[in-house]
Amino acid sequence: MQGVTVIICCYNSASRLAQTLMHLATQVTTSDFELEVVLVDNMSTDGTAEIAAQIWKELNSTVALKIIKENEPGLSFARKRGIEEAKYDILIFCDDDNWLAEDYVIKAAQLMSRSIGIIGGLGQPVFENTEPGWFKYFKSFYAVGDQSKSVFNDLPNFQYVYGAGMIVNKKALLELYNDGFVSIAVDRIGNQLTSGGDTELCLALQLLGYKVVYNPTLKFEHFISSSKLRFGYCAKLVSGIGYSSDLLFPYRAYLDSNNSFPFPSFKSFKNELKQLLFSSIILILPFKRFGPFYDKFRNSNFLFGKVKFHLLNQKRFIGFNSFLSSR
């Protein structure tokens, strides 16, 4: 029987789970289709597992909820554990603040095929308070908005979608792991705002020949709490993603022979430093031709993260995993 496993990875998620679980409990299914929810508690200290179990009991859902614990901190480890526990071949990565439309699961099953590795949906923001005026310049960093142009550096096989609401072909993932894949990216660990695991999965599966696609008919709401709408949090988020982007340099180098490998060169560091200095200067200039303040701020913070990566890692090689070396 065809089915879908929804994986929710949680770190201190107790206060965010009620709506997320309610939207899963009300998914549309058919008699020849099954759904299960796997909730991975990644070292929470707020009673996430117990509260999730109580919420699910009150929802009186016929869908199976499996709650497991993963003691290795980090989103990548939690997701891998969820994959291992999944019963079905179609997986959905649902963040603890994602509210899937009632037809999300069944559409995921209809759209997935053997040739597809990952499908991305359309995240629509729901704000706890009023939307800040600056949000439109940073929405992609919050995993909301259109994903039809998620191509980096115009390189082939460098298409990616954000991890929120991501639909994954489990058989393709298992093939990836059997090929020796070990994640290079430093994904979310606790309150750290590093990322990249979602993008790396997209890139690795494309190297195996699978497609990464985006379908805007797959819709979900992404709840954004007021704490995430403080501008200091936003700046930290953008910088963290900039830092994480260069952790995936080996993939860019593999796909583009003009790049050094397996680590960004000192020349590339100098170029990024020059860009950062230039971006910082124009940040304080009122010239409209350089874009509005928030547009300039976003670019400066992203570059700051990349420069920070170089400063901390230029003399240390990233573990070159056997998956890439076998391509």
Side-chain angles (χ1 to χ4, degrees):
M1 181 177 288
Q2 188 180 35
V4 172
T5 298
V6 176
I7 299 172
I8 312 174
C9 297
C10 298
Y11 172 73
N12 289 344
S13 303
S15 63
R16 298 184 292 276
L17 282 174
Q19 284 290 323
T20 301
L21 292 176
M22 186 274 288
H23 280 78
L24 291 175
T26 55
Q27 288 292 307
V28 174
T29 58
T30 60
S31 58
D32 60 345
F33 174 88
E34 289 190 352
L35 168 65
E36 69 166 352
V37 178
V38 174
L39 187 146
V40 185
D41 184 1
N42 194 202
M43 300 186 70
S44 298
T45 58
D46 65 347
T48 288
E50 294 76 16
I51 290 172
Q54 181 61 35
I55 292 171
W56 201 251
K57 182 179 179 180
E58 293 172 359
L59 288 169
N60 197 30
S61 174
T62 58
V63 176
L65 171 67
K66 184 189 298 185
I67 299 175
I68 57 177
K69 292 185 180 289
E70 172 54 54
N71 294 325
E72 188 72 35
L75 179 57
S76 293
F77 292 108
R79 280 185 175 162
K80 188 173 182 182
R81 181 65 190 279
I83 293 163
E84 292 168 353
E85 297 286 341
K87 181 179 179 181
Y88 299 111
D89 289 334
I90 299 173
L91 312 175
I92 297 177
F93 293 155
C94 178
D95 292 347
D96 61 9
D97 52 7
N98 293 167
W99 305 343
L100 304 186
E102 63 178 11
D103 61 352
Y104 201 93
V105 167
I106 200 163
K107 274 188 176 179
Q110 293 167 350
L111 291 168
M112 182 58 74
S113 69
R114 291 182 181 180
S115 63
I116 295 175
I118 288 175
I119 306 173
L122 174 60
Q124 300 168 313
V126 175
F127 301 98
E128 183 175 17
N129 294 317
T130 306
E131 176 184 354
W134 50 260
F135 184 81
K136 62 183 178 181
Y137 298 103
F138 300 89
K139 62 182 181 181
S140 63
F141 293 95
Y142 284 85
V144 295
D146 181 69
Q147 301 195 79
S148 59
K149 296 181 180 179
S150 296
V151 181
F152 190 61
N153 282 354
D154 295 323
L155 296 176
N157 300 325
F158 217 96
Q159 298 185 41
Y160 54 89
V161 292
Y162 43 67
M166 177 185 280
I167 302 158
V168 186
N169 182 335
K170 183 183 176 183
K171 290 183 178 179
L173 270 186
L174 294 178
E175 181 183 344
L176 185 65
Y177 290 128
N178 289 336
D179 262 16
F181 174 76
V182 177
S183 180
I184 294 172
V186 181
D187 224 324
R188 297 290 171 90
I189 300 176
N191 294 318
Q192 295 181 35
L193 297 183
T194 49
S195 62
D198 311 328
T199 302
E200 184 174 12
L201 276 182
C202 291
L203 303 182
L205 285 175
Q206 285 173 97
L207 291 181
L208 285 184
Y210 292 95
K211 298 176 183 177
V212 172
V213 300
Y214 164 61
N215 192 307
T217 67
L218 289 158
K219 295 180 180 179
F220 66 94
E221 294 178 315
H222 196 156
F223 176 73
I224 303 177
S225 65
S226 57
S227 63
K228 293 182 178 180
L229 291 173
R230 298 190 183 106
F231 199 65
Y233 175 94
C234 178
K236 186 178 178 182
L237 175 66
V238 174
S239 177
I241 292 175
Y243 178 95
S244 304
S245 68
D246 268 359
L247 287 167
L248 299 179
F249 188 88
Y251 290 90
R252 274 175 279 171
Y254 178 85
L255 294 165
D256 184 359
S257 59
N258 293 321
N259 280 303
S260 60
F261 188 79
F263 211 70
S265 65
F266 185 67
K267 180 180 178 181
S268 67
F269 167 66
K270 288 195 296 183
N271 288 337
E272 287 180 1
L273 184 58
K274 289 178 182 177
Q275 290 178 50
L276 174 62
L277 291 174
F278 177 71
S279 183
S280 299
I281 291 170
I282 66 171
L283 183 62
I284 60 176
L285 298 177
F287 302 142
K288 290 184 178 179
R289 64 193 178 97
F290 291 127
F293 170 80
Y294 289 120
D295 196 26
K296 294 185 284 187
F297 183 86
R298 178 196 63 205
N299 296 338
S300 299
N301 250 310
F302 187 80
L303 284 166
F304 171 77
K306 291 168 73 70
V307 169
K308 180 180 178 182
F309 167 83
H310 282 269
L311 290 173
L312 293 178
N313 298 284
Q314 188 61 44
K315 294 182 179 179
R316 179 177 65 83
F317 282 85
I318 294 174
F320 178 45
N321 75 59
S322 58
F323 164 74
L324 267 177
S325 63
S326 66
R327 295 301 99 197

